[in-house]
Amino acid sequence: MRPQLKVLMVTTNWPAPGGPRTSHFIKRQADFLQAAGVDVDVFHFQAQKNVARYVKAWLAVRRKLRSKRYDLIHAQFGQSGLMALPKRLPYVVTLRGSDILGTVSDRSGRYTAAGKINQRISQMVAAKADAVILVSEHMQANLPGLERCNIIPSGIDFDLFRIVPRDEARRQLGLPLDERLVLFVGNPRQARKRYQLAKAAVDLLNDRLPARLVVGWGVPHTDIPLYMAACDALIFTSMQEGSPNVVKEALACNLPVVSVAVGDVEQRIRDIEGCELCRDEAPESIAAALERVLQRGKRVEGRKSVEHLSETSITQQVISVYRSALSAACATR
């Protein structure tokens, strides 16, 4: 029997109790790793682009490393990997999107100078890591010369993202039974999500086919599957993503997806009848795609296409990376 792995997971993103949907996928991964027999301690901190906060967090991580024996550190997001340097233990880093692709300003929708610095930090952290996990293959292009990356998307909790009858979900959420509903999941004030593009597309759609745009934000994370069951299509308009969880979760609920080409969405929906990848990002193109999907009026066979992304399966892949990283670290000593 293999000894229990002891892992210190470090992250700048962690869901706040009662807060909006954000970073639940990290807590879920930690929980599933724990359930699979890995001893996981989580250290999370709010960096807020503040050097003093990073220094304080770095000192706190050093204290934790002195107080308990760990086998390795798992940094979630590139900037969190700074807490593992200089190396005292083998470490794995998961790069998830903006850390390696660049940060987009919530206000202007433009890439920021601070984001470029973070990108360089993430590249440095990845170069020194014993193993690198990327949530999508397209992110590899931002790590020139680094070939030892593992492609492991965030997993799906199929017990949470389940099939619920449409009318039952609408009754629970107080939504009308007789309207076409298009779901947008994300913060409307975050420029990267491009809510205004989604709204413009639905406004154009209403010239030909009545539909209402429903925003899934500021609601409990556990209610998102109900919104996916209640609505007739998901509209996804982000300008930048790693591997968007909302698209995979929508497919797990058999909800048709209409999306711009971003992240790994094309890979997820290209073979699913009833989903549409828009040929461009014009509101007219998105509206036309929505009209075709809504006129079809059916759920999709999406759940089967993402079964391999169950959190249980993803957890075993992450554990495999842990063990290979430890083996590689031992071999270089």
Side-chain angles (χ1 to χ4, degrees):
M1 184 176 178
R2 286 179 169 178
Q4 184 183 38
L5 283 171
K6 295 180 174 60
V7 175
L8 176 61
M9 184 176 288
V10 181
T11 179
T12 54
N13 294 68
W14 192 255
R21 169 195 172 90
T22 176
S23 302
H24 287 274
F25 49 88
I26 296 178
K27 183 179 187 304
R28 189 166 65 232
Q29 185 169 95
D31 290 344
F32 272 76
L33 283 165
Q34 193 82 43
V38 180
D39 182 359
V40 180
D41 285 345
V42 177
F43 177 84
H44 57 92
F45 65 104
Q46 293 293 323
Q48 297 178 338
K49 304 174 186 177
N50 187 312
V51 173
R53 288 174 180 263
Y54 275 101
V55 172
K56 183 178 179 181
W58 185 87
L59 291 170
V61 168
R62 296 291 133 177
R63 288 194 294 272
K64 288 188 74 69
L65 294 177
R66 289 195 297 269
S67 66
K68 181 176 177 179
R69 185 187 69 79
Y70 295 98
D71 296 302
L72 60 81
I73 296 173
H74 183 179
Q76 300 275 4
F77 296 96
Q79 63 270 26
S80 301
L82 289 172
M83 304 303 105
L85 298 175
K87 278 208 303 190
R88 292 180 57 182
L89 287 176
Y91 78 89
V92 174
V93 60
T94 296
L95 302 177
R96 293 190 168 275
S98 60
D99 47 4
I100 196 63
L101 299 176
T103 305
V104 177
S105 167
D106 285 349
R107 291 185 178 181
S108 70
R110 297 178 180 176
Y111 284 91
T112 66
K116 290 183 179 180
I117 294 171
N118 192 22
Q119 188 179 40
R120 297 292 181 268
I121 289 171
S122 297
Q123 289 170 335
M124 180 269 290
V125 164
K128 294 179 179 293
D130 296 280
V132 177
I133 296 173
L134 303 178
V135 296
S136 182
E137 189 172 358
H138 78 280
M139 297 166 63
Q140 180 82 55
N142 290 74
L143 293 167
L146 196 63
E147 299 177 356
R148 62 184 190 279
C149 296
N150 304 271
I151 310 301
I152 306 178
S154 296
I156 302 168
D157 183 350
F158 282 94
D159 290 333
L160 177 61
F161 289 91
R162 62 201 185 280
I163 306 300
V164 178
R166 192 199 73 161
D167 287 359
E168 177 186 327
R170 290 191 178 196
R171 289 190 187 97
Q172 287 191 50
L173 296 172
L175 293 171
L177 300 179
D178 58 349
E179 293 186 34
R180 296 181 186 89
L181 303 180
V182 177
L183 178 64
F184 177 92
V185 178
N187 185 347
R189 292 180 295 278
Q190 190 173 16
R192 177 171 65 90
K193 299 296 183 180
R194 296 198 294 195
Y195 168 75
Q196 292 302 325
L197 176 57
K199 184 177 183 301
V202 174
D203 286 346
L204 284 172
L205 171 67
N206 270 278
D207 292 338
R208 304 185 297 274
L209 191 72
R212 180 196 295 194
L213 185 61
V214 175
V215 178
W217 182 254
V219 300
H221 177 61
T222 50
D223 280 354
I224 295 296
L226 285 177
Y227 279 90
M228 290 180 169
C231 291
D232 300 296
L234 174 79
I235 185 170
F236 195 75
T237 50
S238 290
M239 64 174 286
Q240 181 218 73
E241 294 285 346
S243 177
N245 293 303
V246 64
V247 169
K248 293 174 286 189
E249 291 161 353
L251 294 176
C253 297
N254 287 337
L255 179 65
V257 174
V258 174
S259 178
V260 297
V262 64
D264 62 355
V265 175
E266 180 179 6
Q267 173 189 345
R268 299 293 165 210
I269 70 174
R270 63 186 169 202
D271 296 323
I272 302 176
E273 183 181 0
C275 290
E276 294 245 2
L277 188 75
C278 299
R279 56 183 174 81
D280 57 46
E281 298 181 350
E284 294 81 3
S285 299
I286 300 170
L290 276 171
E291 183 175 9
R292 289 190 293 271
V293 166
L294 294 175
Q295 290 283 24
R296 180 176 179 269
K298 297 179 183 178
R299 306 297 280 191
V300 298
E301 294 294 327
R303 196 171 180 87
K304 293 178 182 177
S305 74
V306 291
E307 283 179 343
H308 65 290
L309 298 177
S310 72
E311 196 69 66
T312 302
S313 174
I314 294 298
T315 297
Q316 292 306 313
Q317 294 178 51
V318 172
I319 292 173
S320 179
V321 171
Y322 288 169
R323 296 202 179 279
S324 67
L326 287 171
S327 297
C330 289
T332 58
R333 287 176 183 169

